Amino acid sequence: MRHEDIWRAIDTLAAEHGLSVSALARKAGLDPTSFNLSKRRGADGKFRWPSTESIAKILAATTTRMEDFSALITGARVIADTRPRARTRIPLIGMAQAGTEGFFDDGGYPAGAGWDEIELPATLDANAYALSISGSSMEPLYREGDIIVVSPAAPVRVGDRVVARTAAGAVMAKQLVRRTASRIELLSLNPAFPELRFAPADLLWMHRIIWASQ
């Protein structure tokens, strides 16, 4: 077990409940800065372990079983949950519309008029939204007309399928294959389309795809 695996599990637990890590800490009665990046390393730069008490409190506050949290530590990306989810209606627009002005605010959250709504398997992320796929760059995984649900709160890691918006206004569904301080690489699953490379400043935001119609 590695330090970063536990911290990643805490990040994912917060996202699963539509919370930032600060909000998760507050919900559990902890100092809001308990899980901040600055608290994850000591003065010597080495990772710290979160306390067992703080983990117990966040599990109690979110009614999460220890075995589900353990699954997050060992690599699960979502908590298996058969309970009814909090939201069933998600704002929806077409991928082509998403690239025009007025549908997202500066943080990449749905905003403005023009959104439809669709009833789909939902997420606790209050800012989740749905896009209707256009184009063939993600075939055969996503085809024209498929619906994807996107969560701005979900942590994004290499290997995830994401929706990204460029500073030039283009919105695209891709797979994140590399992310460094100087470069972000996005892959089109259809080999007929080239891999795209961006400086971090050239992407306004990048959100994880958490569900797709098939």
Side-chain angles (χ1 to χ4, degrees), residues 5-169:
D5 294 329
I6 294 183
W7 289 116
R8 185 190 67 242
I10 292 172
D11 291 340
T12 303
L13 179 65
E16 282 287 294
H17 290 271
L19 301 169
S20 65
V21 290
S22 296
L24 175 63
R26 284 194 296 270
K27 184 179 179 71
L30 300 169
D31 185 306
T33 66
S34 296
F35 304 133
N36 284 8
L37 294 178
S38 60
K39 297 294 183 70
R40 301 184 183 192
R41 292 181 183 270
D44 58 0
K46 294 182 178 179
F47 269 113
R48 293 171 168 166
W49 296 102
S51 72
T52 54
E53 180 182 9
S54 64
I55 291 175
K57 286 185 174 182
I58 61 175
L59 296 186
T62 57
T63 63
T64 300
R65 301 179 306 166
M66 186 62 199
E67 48 264 49
D68 291 328
F69 187 71
S70 297
L72 295 180
I73 293 173
T74 56
R77 297 193 174 187
V78 295
I79 296 173
D81 189 357
T82 58
R83 296 172 297 175
R85 304 306 296 268
R87 299 180 66 213
T88 57
R89 297 190 67 81
I90 303 289
L92 166 73
I93 57 171
M95 184 71 76
Q97 289 175 280
T100 58
E101 294 299 323
F103 288 101
F104 295 94
D105 64 18
D106 290 343
Y109 300 113
W115 290 83
D116 292 323
E117 282 193 328
I118 190 167
E119 190 163 335
L120 288 172
T123 171
L124 291 172
D125 180 359
N127 295 301
Y129 57 92
L131 296 174
S132 176
I133 292 291
S134 58
S136 58
S137 70
M138 293 296 279
E139 290 183 355
L141 184 65
Y142 304 141
R143 300 181 182 276
E144 185 93 18
D146 283 349
I147 302 294
I148 57 174
V149 174
V150 185
S151 171
V156 175
R157 297 183 289 273
V158 170
D160 286 340
R161 297 175 185 114
V162 300
V163 169
R165 182 175 184 131
T166 69

Side-chain angles (χ1 to χ4, degrees), residues 137-204:
S137 70
M138 293 296 279
E139 290 183 355
L141 184 65
Y142 304 141
R143 300 181 182 276
E144 185 93 18
D146 283 349
I147 302 294
I148 57 174
V149 174
V150 185
S151 171
V156 175
R157 297 183 289 273
V158 170
D160 286 340
R161 297 175 185 114
V162 300
V163 169
R165 182 175 184 131
T166 69
V171 174
M172 60 193 75
K174 302 292 179 184
Q175 182 175 23
L176 176 63
V177 293
R178 182 177 173 84
R179 189 179 199 177
T180 69
S182 61
R183 186 170 64 181
I184 295 172
E185 296 179 10
L186 301 177
L187 177 69
S188 299
L189 296 187
N190 186 336
F193 290 79
E195 185 174 293
L196 301 176
R197 297 177 176 83
F198 298 95
D202 291 334
L203 289 182
L204 296 182

